[in-house]
């Protein structure tokens, strides 16, 4: 376990006091001012408190994967682009993926069994509707941002 220095602990304490004070928590966020949170609570503070560390770890992991896939040249470019704000790595502010779009094809043919669920493929409209709602709730819990279903209307 990493031990924070006294200075780092004081900085975290100051962050907590500032965050819980006056103002909108999204604009008070020092790491992710674009967060989609409009009310302050202990739960939103929990998400913000260690974002500075999470971002650094995730950016390192991204950079290592880029090096593995494309080489050191593109890894360095990625790091430079982050530092110079050419790109904004919003996906790095959480361990969970940010936004995602899904297709219903696996659900229609296999039910929720692909997600470690027990339900089989829906056979009637009523069971489809109920299972669809459960599917969206289950999937949404695994993402930090929005979840879109690109195939529902078709």
């Amino acid at each position: 376990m990493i031990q924070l220095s006294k200075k780092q602990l004081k900085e975290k304490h100051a962050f907590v006091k500032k965050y819980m004070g006056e103002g909108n928590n999204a604009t008070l966020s020092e790491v992710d001012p674009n967060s989609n949170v409009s009310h302050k609570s202990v739960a939103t503070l929990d998400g913000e408190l260690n974002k500075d560390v999470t971002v650094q770890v995730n950016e390192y992991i991204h950079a290592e994967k880029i090096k593995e896939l494309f080489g050191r040249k593109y890894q360095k470019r990625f790091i430079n682009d982050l530092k110079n704000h050419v790109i904004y790595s919003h996906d790095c502010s959480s361990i969970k993926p940010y936004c995602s779009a899904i297709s219903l094809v696996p659900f229609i043919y296999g039910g929720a069994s692909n997600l470690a669920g027990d339900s089989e493929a829906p056979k009637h409209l009523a069971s489809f509707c109920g299972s669809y709602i459960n599917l969206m709730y289950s999937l949404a819990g695994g993402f930090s941002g929005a979840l879109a279903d690109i195939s529902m209307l078709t």
Side-chain angles (χ1 to χ4, degrees):
M1 178 168 86
I2 296 172
Q3 293 290 314
L4 297 178
S5 68
K6 187 112 176 160
K7 178 182 181 224
Q8 290 169 318
L9 290 169
K10 285 181 179 182
E11 288 171 356
K12 289 292 183 183
H13 185 227
F15 174 84
V16 170
K17 290 196 307 190
K18 179 181 175 188
Y19 186 84
M20 295 310 291
E22 299 278 329
N24 178 320
N25 62 311
T27 58
L28 286 173
S29 174
E30 296 172 6
V31 178
D32 188 13
N34 294 321
S35 65
N36 294 325
V37 182
S38 57
H39 295 85
K40 289 187 271 190
S41 69
V42 174
T44 59
L45 172 62
D46 182 47
E48 293 292 323
L49 185 59
N50 293 307
K51 265 189 185 177
D52 55 344
V53 174
T54 302
V55 166
Q56 292 174 64
V57 171
N58 283 337
E59 286 177 352
Y60 175 82
I61 292 169
H62 279 78
E64 288 298 304
K65 189 63 175 179
I66 289 170
K67 181 175 80 174
E68 176 188 321
L69 294 172
F70 307 108
R72 189 175 302 280
K73 174 184 171 187
Y74 288 99
Q75 178 193 36
K76 287 181 180 179
R77 185 173 178 179
F78 171 74
I79 293 167
N80 262 350
D81 287 350
L82 283 172
K83 285 181 183 174
N84 295 311
H85 306 289
V86 173
I87 58 174
Y88 173 69
S89 63
H90 59 274
D91 288 339
C92 290
S93 65
S94 173
I95 296 297
K96 297 184 283 185
Y98 197 67
C99 298
S100 186
I102 65 161
S103 168
L104 286 181
V105 172
F107 170 69
I108 289 171
Y109 289 107
S113 58
N114 296 332
L115 299 168
D118 295 332
S119 67
E120 295 177 3
K123 293 178 180 59
H124 305 328
L125 181 60
S127 63
F128 170 82
C129 292
S131 296
Y132 175 78
I133 291 168
N134 291 338
L135 172 72
M136 295 307 285
Y137 276 111
S138 296
L139 291 174
F143 295 94
S144 296
L147 176 66
D149 170 11
I150 58 173
S151 56
M152 177 60 173
L153 296 176
T154 57

